Amino acid sequence: MAFRSRRETLRSILSGSACIHPGSVYDAISIRIAEDLGFPLGMFGGSAASLAVLGDADVALITLTELAEQMRRMSRAATLPVLVDADHGYGNALNVRRTVQELETAGAAGLTIEDTLLPAAFGETKAQLISLEEGVGKMKAALDGRSDPSLVIMGRTGAASITSLDDAICRAQAYEAAGVDALFFTGIKSRAELDAIAAATRLPVVLGGAPEELNVLDYLAARRVRIALQGHAPIAAATQAVYDTLKALREGTSPKALKGLASAELTSRVMREADVKARSADVLGLKK
C-alpha cells in the first residue's frame, strides 16, 4: 500500500521510548519544508486547516471533503507522515467511519477523533462533551472504517479542562478498551495531572499543548508521551509575512527593496525544480 511506510513510521514513534515535537503543516509548501528540515512527523491541525482552506476561525466550518483534499495535496507533495486532526469526525459514528475512509485514502498516517460536541450547541458559550457512550461508539466506528491496519487511530478528549481530570481518565480508559492506538489529551495543566493519566492508562500519549513546566522531553517520555504539539506557529508566521509584504507594496515599497523574501535557491528547492528539470529532460527531450 502506497502510504503504509508513512503509517509505520508513525507507529514506530508511538512504540518508541522518546517524545518528539511534530512540525505543524497545512499545505504543499509547509510539508516540504518540514520534511527538508528533518521533522519526523507533520501535524495537520484543525485550526490551521480552517485558516489555510477557508480563512476562517476554528469553529467547525471546514468540511470533510475540504480537509481530505488538502491532506491529499500534502501527500502528493511530500512523504512526511502526517497526523490529522479530524475533529469530531464530521457527524455521528457513521460519519466518523467515512471520515476515516476518506483520510486514509488521502494519505494520512494517523488521525484523531475527539469527544467534543461540535458544532457548538445553540446558546452555549463553553465547550461541551458528547456522552461517554457516544464517544466509545465513535472510536469503534473509526476502527471499523480503516482498511489499512497500519493507519493510526487516536482517541482524543478535552475533558480535563471541560469537566474534570477524573472524567478525562475515565474516557481515556474506555477509548483504550475500545481498541484505539493512542490517547490524545488537551487541557492538561500540570505534572500531577499527567502523572495521574500515565498511571491510569497503558497506551502511548499525545499532548495537544501544555504549560511550560510540562515541556521537558525526558519527563514527557517517561510518562509515555510520544508526541507533544507546539501549536501552529508556521501558519501564523506565514500570515504575518504575507501581511507585511502586501502592506509594504501597498505603501509604495519597491519589490526590490522588500525584506524577508525566500531566496531563489530556497524557492527552487521547495518546488523541487531540479527533479522537474530531470524529468523534463527524460520525457520531453529538454536539456538539463
Side-chain angles (χ1 to χ4, degrees):
M1 194 171 288
F3 302 119
R4 180 159 292 174
S5 63
R6 306 182 194 193
R7 294 162 186 162
E8 289 173 348
T9 296
L10 175 54
R11 285 187 173 273
S12 70
I13 291 171
L14 294 175
S15 64
S17 60
C19 178
I20 63 102
H21 293 311
S24 177
V25 297
Y26 54 89
D27 66 3
I29 293 175
S30 62
I31 192 173
R32 281 182 172 174
I33 292 172
E35 183 175 66
D36 288 350
L37 289 173
F39 277 93
L41 178 70
M43 178 69 208
F44 186 28
S47 58
S50 187
L51 183 56
V53 176
L54 302 179
D56 281 328
D58 187 19
V59 290
L61 293 179
I62 193 169
T63 66
L64 169 59
T65 302
E66 291 165 332
L67 182 78
E69 185 56 35
Q70 192 73 348
M71 183 64 247
R72 190 171 290 108
R73 293 187 182 104
M74 290 193 286
S75 295
R76 171 199 165 272
T79 61
L80 183 70
V82 175
L83 175 61
V84 182
D85 174 2
D87 284 337
H88 61 314
Y90 299 91
N92 65 21
L94 294 179
N95 298 106
V96 168
R97 189 176 188 278
R98 183 178 173 223
T99 293
V100 170
Q101 292 172 331
E102 295 295 334
L103 289 174
E104 179 179 309
T105 303
L111 57 91
T112 67
I113 298 293
E114 66 185 84
D115 52 16
T116 312
L117 178 63
L118 294 171
F122 178 80
E124 291 290 340
T125 58
K126 295 183 178 179
Q128 294 179 296
L129 301 175
I130 60 177
S131 69
L132 174 60
E133 293 75 16
E134 184 177 2
V136 169
K138 285 193 169 189
M139 301 309 158
K140 290 180 177 179
L143 294 165
D144 183 62
R146 66 181 173 190
S147 60
D148 180 2
S150 66
L151 178 70
V152 174
I153 305 292
M154 297 185 183
R156 172 173 169 166
T157 185
S161 61
I162 298 174
T163 51
S164 68
L165 177 64
D166 287 343
D167 188 29
I169 290 173
C170 180
R171 288 168 179 267
Q173 290 173 332
Y175 302 157
E176 190 171 76
V180 299
D181 301 303
L183 300 169
F184 189 119
F185 295 91
T186 61
I188 304 303
K189 304 180 184 67
S190 68
R191 289 195 174 197
E193 289 186 346
L194 182 58
D195 290 348
I197 286 170
T201 60
R202 296 177 292 105
L203 290 175
V205 172
V206 178
L207 286 186
E212 195 61 36
E213 68 168 294
L214 286 173
N215 290 323
V216 180
L217 289 179
D218 288 344
Y219 163 76
L220 293 175
R223 271 66 181 177
R224 285 197 329 281
V225 178
R226 297 296 172 253
I227 302 169
L229 276 59
Q230 293 183 300
H232 302 294
I235 195 167
T239 301
Q240 186 65 55
V242 171
Y243 178 88
D244 290 344
T245 301
L246 287 173
K247 183 174 183 290
L249 290 169
R250 178 62 176 163
E251 292 174 350
T253 301
S254 167
K256 293 184 178 180
L258 292 171
K259 299 183 182 300
L261 303 185
S263 66
E265 188 276 331
L266 176 58
T267 302
S268 174
R269 188 170 1 124
V270 168
M271 70 173 62
R272 306 296 192 250
E273 189 173 28
D275 294 339
V276 174
K277 287 183 176 179
R279 293 191 191 100
S280 296
D282 289 339
V283 302
L284 295 176
L286 303 180
K287 294 183 179 179
K288 293 183 180 181

